[in-house]
């Protein structure tokens, strides 16, 4: 397992500079055929792959917060800076910079993964140190997991919801598995795209040893691959597989839910500590930041504080219906939100998203606010995945689903309350509401609505931006699927078909 973060030679080697995100990345001063010949070279490449996950276009920024802003979880306020404005207005175009940045950043990481996977066998063949050979297998497992994660996010953003009956005839994503060999710039089917992800996860699970699983890790582990497999299986409506893989993670004694009723310290419960310090037994995999090496600031658009943090000027505030969804005994409310009087002339006072106020250690050491380590997978999501899958089995198991939701809620409610009953009549409403309360602003809502074939309606709230605050989006609106960037459609040799939202 990679332990020492070295200089990012790989990031320099693999700099994008072509007209298409899918083109092979150019050589730099290091010749391509000499760039990964030794174990140390391989470590550097893997370091560069992990560095790519830090991008503010991905999990520490756009890819996490923009989908939830586009949906119904937050409201733009009067005088906002127009950040994510097109998403808020449901007017995303193929030339939108945020859409382009997500697409490019994901394919950039995929290209680095392909570079490593293309060369790792040759490095192993000339390696004589058995520990290094084992480490290279582990690195390959990590890289397969990362590539699967990136492709899964591309599918979520740029494809329709998966339906087993039609997936073979729906558009997926452009699949690239090689670095040096040219491949067609053409979208595979949605079925083939998801199968590619599953194949990568199967390879990862063969190479990664559960004995190396760790909580709170910044590296892809067997548990991380299993957690992604559970998520993907749920999205593919492969509900028994979702149950099986979520169970592997839930039954792993390495992880446990952060208890809002237990004190970690005099100032933090285990739940608040997870968000204030980015550390928990609940975290399966996170993107690792330091005070000198970090990505975007997840909390920026929710605070926009002035220099001495006496006033905040948020671009977006939580939707009132979300705030109302938390019971008085739900301790997540105080962990996630904190009321502020903003610096706006209208005097808006509102609960802001304190969940992303920033890692307190970073704030204390270098006054680095709003920067939180993205939590790619948490144990809580696995309980939610399994509960939903139980409800969708050929013979639904509502009792088991209710038990999973109760287990989660008892760690979040005061005094261990929160027991809940799930039935055929309420399962979707119950799980939908619980996913909002638990996963607020972690990037799930837009895709959830899309796969549940649900729309939503915004109604104005205090000091909300007039334009967009009264908006009704019907189920299966084509704009749930982001447009393919125009430069990809028009790049030389491309045969990429557009989405309906490209029109």
């Amino acid at each position: 397992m990679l332990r020492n973060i070295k200089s990012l030679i790989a990031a320099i080697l693999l700099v994008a500079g072509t007209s298409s995100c899918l083109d092979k990345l150019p050589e730099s001063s290091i010749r391509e055929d000499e760039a990964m010949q030794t174990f140390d070279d391989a470590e550097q490449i893997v370091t560069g792959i992990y560095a790519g996950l830090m991008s503010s276009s991905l999990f520490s920024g756009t890819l996490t917060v923009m989908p939830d802003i586009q949906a119904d979880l937050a409201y733009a306020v009067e005088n906002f800076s127009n950040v994510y404005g097109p998403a808020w207005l449901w007017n995303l175009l193929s030339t939108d910079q945020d859409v382009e940045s997500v697409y490019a950043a994901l394919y950039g990481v995929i290209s680095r993964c392909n570079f490593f996977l293309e060369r790792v066998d040759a490095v192993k063949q000339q390696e004589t140190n058995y520990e290094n050979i084992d480490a290279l297998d582990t690195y390959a497992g990590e890289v397969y997991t990362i590539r699967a994660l990136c492709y899964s996010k591309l599918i979520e953003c740029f494809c329709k919801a998966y339906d087993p009956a039609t997936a073979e005839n729906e558009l997926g994503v452009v699949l690239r598995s090689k670095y040096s060999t040219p491949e067609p710039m053409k979208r595979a089917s949605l079925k083939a795209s998801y199968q590619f992800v599953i194949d990568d996860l199967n390879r990862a699970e063969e190479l990664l040893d559960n004995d190396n699983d760790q909580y709170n890790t910044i590296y892809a582990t067997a548990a991380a691959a299993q957690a992604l497999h559970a998520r993907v299986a749920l999205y593919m409506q492969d509900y028994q597989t979702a149950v099986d893989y979520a169970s592997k993670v839930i039954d792993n004694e390495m992880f446990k839910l952060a208890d809002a009723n237990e004190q970690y310290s005099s100032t933090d419960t285990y739940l608040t500590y997870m968000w204030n310090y980015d550390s928990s037994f609940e975290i399966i995999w996170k993107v690792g930041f330091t005070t000198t090496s970090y990505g975007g600031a997840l909390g920026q658009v929710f605070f926009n504080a002035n220099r001495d943090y006496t006033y905040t000027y948020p671009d977006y505030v939580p939707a009132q219906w979300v705030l109302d969804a938390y019971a008085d005994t739900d301790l997540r409310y105080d962990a996630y939100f904190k009321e502020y009087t903003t610096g706006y002339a209208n005097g808006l006072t509102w609960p802001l998203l304190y969940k992303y106020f920033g890692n307190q250690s970073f704030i204390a050491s270098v006054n680095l606010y709003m920067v939180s380590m993205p939590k790619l997978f948490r144990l809580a999501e696995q309980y939610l995945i399994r509960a939903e899958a139980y409800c969708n089995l050929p013979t639904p198991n509502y009792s088991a689903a209710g038990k999973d939701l109760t287990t989660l809620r008892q760690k979040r409610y005061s005094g261990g309350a929160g027991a809940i009953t799930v039935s055929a009549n309420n399962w979707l409403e119950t799980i939908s509401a619980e996913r909002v309360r638990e996963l607020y602003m972690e990037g799930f809502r837009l895709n959830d609505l899309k796969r549940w074939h649900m729309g939503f309606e915004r109604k104005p709230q205090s000091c909300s931006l007039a334009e967009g605050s009264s908006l009704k989006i019907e189920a299966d609106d084509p704009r749930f699927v982001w447009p393919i960037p125009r430069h990809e459609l028009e790049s030389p040799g491309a045969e990429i078909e557009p989405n309906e939202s490209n029109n």
Side-chain angles (χ1 to χ4, degrees), residues 15-30:
V15 174
T18 56
S19 59
S20 170
C21 305
L22 302 171
D23 286 337
K24 187 183 74 172
L25 298 173
E27 296 177 7
S28 66
S29 57
I30 302 175

Side-chain angles (χ1 to χ4, degrees), residues 205-391:
E205 290 156 24
E206 291 171 358
L207 292 165
L208 295 170
D209 190 341
N210 268 117
D211 291 340
N212 291 326
D213 282 342
Q214 299 178 43
Y215 67 88
N216 202 47
T217 182
I218 63 174
Y219 307 104
T221 61
Q226 291 161 358
L228 177 55
H229 204 144
R231 182 192 291 174
V232 169
L234 180 72
Y235 292 174
M236 294 178 70
Q237 301 182 29
D238 184 359
Y239 297 117
Q240 186 59 59
T241 299
V243 168
D244 293 344
Y245 273 90
S247 296
K248 290 182 180 183
V249 181
I250 291 169
D251 294 341
N252 188 329
E253 295 180 356
M254 186 61 62
F255 310 106
K256 66 179 183 179
L257 293 167
D259 197 333
N261 290 282
E262 278 190 51
Q263 291 296 131
Y264 179 91
S265 67
S266 60
T267 57
D268 281 293
T269 67
Y270 277 88
L271 179 62
T272 59
Y273 189 85
M274 176 168 66
W275 295 106
N276 289 339
Y277 292 91
D278 300 324
S279 181
S280 176
F281 291 109
E282 182 173 317
I283 297 173
I284 300 167
W285 182 17
K286 66 184 181 183
V287 178
F289 288 175
T290 69
T291 56
T292 57
S293 179
Y294 54 90
L298 279 169
Q300 185 63 36
V301 298
F302 305 111
F303 276 91
N304 285 335
N306 62 353
R307 184 163 298 184
D308 60 2
Y309 287 84
T310 54
Y311 290 104
T312 65
Y313 299 86
D315 290 302
Y316 295 92
V317 298
Q320 182 65 60
W321 76 267
V322 171
L323 300 172
D324 293 342
Y326 292 87
D328 291 342
T329 52
D330 192 334
L331 300 175
R332 286 174 294 197
Y333 186 94
D334 288 338
Y336 287 10
F337 309 105
K338 185 174 181 180
E339 188 167 288
Y340 283 79
T341 298
T342 69
Y344 290 119
N346 57 29
L348 174 65
T349 299
W350 203 263
L352 304 186
L353 186 59
Y354 193 76
K355 180 179 184 178
Y356 292 149
F357 190 73
N359 185 298
Q360 295 296 312
S361 296
F362 295 174
I363 293 171
S365 60
V366 293
N367 289 324
L368 181 61
Y369 287 84
M370 308 304 147
V371 174
S372 299
M373 297 187 210
K375 296 150 192 67
L376 301 176
F377 293 94
R378 294 194 289 121
L379 185 60
E381 185 204 354
Q382 298 300 303
Y383 277 98
L384 291 165
I385 287 171
R386 191 168 72 173
E388 185 176 342
Y390 275 138
C391 295

Side-chain angles (χ1 to χ4, degrees), residues 179-195:
Y179 182 83
S180 298
T181 305
E183 296 173 284
M185 285 195 284
K186 186 174 183 178
R187 296 173 72 174
S189 71
L190 185 56
K191 181 178 181 179
S193 298
Y194 264 119
Q195 188 58 53

Side-chain angles (χ1 to χ4, degrees), residues 456-458 470-474 477 479:
F456 68 88
E457 184 175 4
R458 295 189 194 134
S470 297
L471 181 71
K472 186 174 183 179
I473 300 298
E474 301 291 346
D477 188 300
R479 293 171 294 177

Side-chain angles (χ1 to χ4, degrees), residues 14-85:
L14 301 175
V15 174
T18 56
S19 59
S20 170
C21 305
L22 302 171
D23 286 337
K24 187 183 74 172
L25 298 173
E27 296 177 7
S28 66
S29 57
I30 302 175
R31 284 179 46 136
E32 183 181 314
D33 59 359
E34 296 176 355
M36 185 172 148
Q37 297 186 359
T38 68
F39 177 80
D40 287 343
D41 294 339
E43 262 198 337
Q44 294 285 4
I45 299 299
V46 175
T47 299
I49 291 170
Y50 278 106
L53 298 180
M54 293 186 187
S55 169
S56 62
S57 296
L58 298 181
F59 304 100
S60 63
T62 305
L63 183 58
T64 294
V65 301
M66 194 168 87
D68 283 357
I69 287 170
Q70 184 180 349
D72 55 350
L73 298 190
Y75 275 70
V77 300
E78 296 172 348
N79 300 313
F80 87 131
S81 69
N82 200 40
V83 61
Y84 304 134

Side-chain angles (χ1 to χ4, degrees), residues 442-454:
E442 294 182 53
F444 292 96
R445 181 63 172 173
L446 187 70
N447 190 59
D448 283 349
L449 292 173
K450 179 172 67 175
R451 65 190 180 84
W452 291 330
H453 303 285
M454 295 171 60

